[in-house]
Amino acid sequence: MMLTASDPRSREAATTLPVYAQLPFVPQSATGCNILTEDKRRILDLYGGHAVAALGYGHPRLERAISEQSKTLLFQSNAVALDIRASAAEKLIEVAPDNLRRVFFVNSGAEANENALRMACVATGRSKVLAVSHGFHGRTAAAAAVTWNSDKWYGFANKPFDVEFIERDDCAAAIEKIGDDIAAVIVEPVQGVAGAYDLSRQFLAALRKQTTTHGAMLIADEVQSGIGRCGHFFAVQAYGIEPDIISSAKALGGGFPCGAVLCTEALATKFGPGDLGSTFGGGPIAAAAIVAVLETIENEDLLANVRAREAQIRNSCVTGPVGKIQGMGLLLGLVCNRPALAVRDALLEQDILTGTSADPNILRILAPLVLKEEHVDRLAKALASIPN
Ligand SMILES: Cc1ncc(COP(=O)(O)O)c(C=O)c1O
């Protein structure tokens, strides 16, 4: 298709770094689970802007929180205490695993992991971090150092600490590699970018046991799996695991950029003024969005909805090109009998947006938590209609 000079795709191509492979439509507005495009298409969004749009689009509670907060107090930094920031921290602690009692606010997933890793190195005085094969943790120096296969684009001459990878679900390797020299193990309980791969309960239990035995920090990267996406506020709660640190972002603000690091009281005692910092982290609008998202998940019983929609997808969507489904909640990987990209494109022709993953055969569903039964029916029908 020839694009006109005024098309946003031409204008972005002329002005921004060419680092994103972009989808072939231009959103103009969005409501509920639907994106309305410039050329009047109405696309069912099962991708949620990389797992961000937890409440879909135009949710009145979130809209109100952001607009009212912007009118009363647009911004103040952490140089002052704020009622709304305290409320956001209290609410996060309320929904988090019981052992996590403290919050450090940041702006993105990579920044959350960057700080989580720094906290672990500082607290233990150690300089080696273990990560899990196929994991993705972000693009900044420390987060990318623990990202599987990041050597392809890492770009820096040196990594900030020693890194070794454990093969995912290899309990013996976890037991062997976690020793007294390890500062932290970082893990996504359900690996998002890898294709919604839910790690085994035994593997996560082995990581928890070994890190505790050896005084290493267990960091759960819940940037993608958290905030209700897996049918629990955090996926570790489904596994019955209490990590020392959780990193959170993406859905945390429902679309308003923000992130958070949650940690234990014991870890918090290792830090004082000046040790960590962020200008925008915990800003009032981000804090208002966090409160609105977490309260809405509770008030609208969205965790139950996520589990119901997961069951419906598992029951109805192993059809057409899909042979198997993995993952948890609405972080699902549809394992296809052909390149997932071809399936994504075929669904998009039917105005349904899904995502690919690092696994070429896995299509990812990262739908808003407000997804409805009729939306899943539409997905199942569209998949069934794709010729085999
Ligand atoms: C599990 C996980 N951690 C960290 C990140 C990085 O988050 P951000 O893009 O907000 O820096 C991502 C992004 O996809 C992610 O999926």
Side-chain angles (χ1 to χ4, degrees), residues 202-233:
Q202 296 88 319
F203 183 65
L204 279 171
L207 294 183
R208 178 63 287 182
K209 186 156 179 278
Q210 284 301 103
T211 46
T212 302
T213 302
H214 292 281
M217 299 289 114
L218 182 62
I219 303 171
D221 177 347
E222 295 245 21
V223 167
Q224 192 162 152
S225 59
I227 314 301
R229 177 149 304 282
C230 288
H232 298 260
F233 273 103

Side-chain angles (χ1 to χ4, degrees), residues 66-74:
I66 291 173
S67 85
E68 282 176 8
Q69 187 60 53
S70 73
K71 281 182 220 148
T72 51
L73 179 65
L74 182 71

Side-chain angles (χ1 to χ4, degrees), residues 291-358:
V291 173
V293 167
L294 297 177
E295 284 184 357
T296 303
I297 291 173
E298 278 179 342
N299 295 344
E300 298 187 6
D301 211 3
L302 293 182
L303 299 181
N305 186 56
V306 167
R307 291 184 216 160
R309 297 291 73 76
E310 174 190 7
Q312 194 192 349
I313 292 172
R314 286 186 184 277
N315 285 335
S316 63
C317 292
V318 180
T319 179
V322 179
K324 194 182 124 185
I325 296 178
Q326 63 188 31
M328 198 187 282
L330 288 175
L331 174 47
L332 292 175
L334 277 46
V335 185
C336 300
N337 63 6
R338 69 195 72 176
L341 193 58
V343 180
R344 185 202 72 184
D345 289 347
L347 289 173
L348 196 50
E349 272 175 32
Q350 300 192 48
D351 288 340
I352 297 176
L353 177 62
T354 52
T356 54
S357 71

Side-chain angles (χ1 to χ4, degrees), residues 130 165-167 169-178 203 207:
L130 291 178
F165 286 89
I166 309 173
E167 192 57 40
D169 281 345
D170 185 342
C171 296
I175 291 165
E176 188 200 319
K177 287 187 175 172
I178 302 171
F203 183 65
L207 294 183

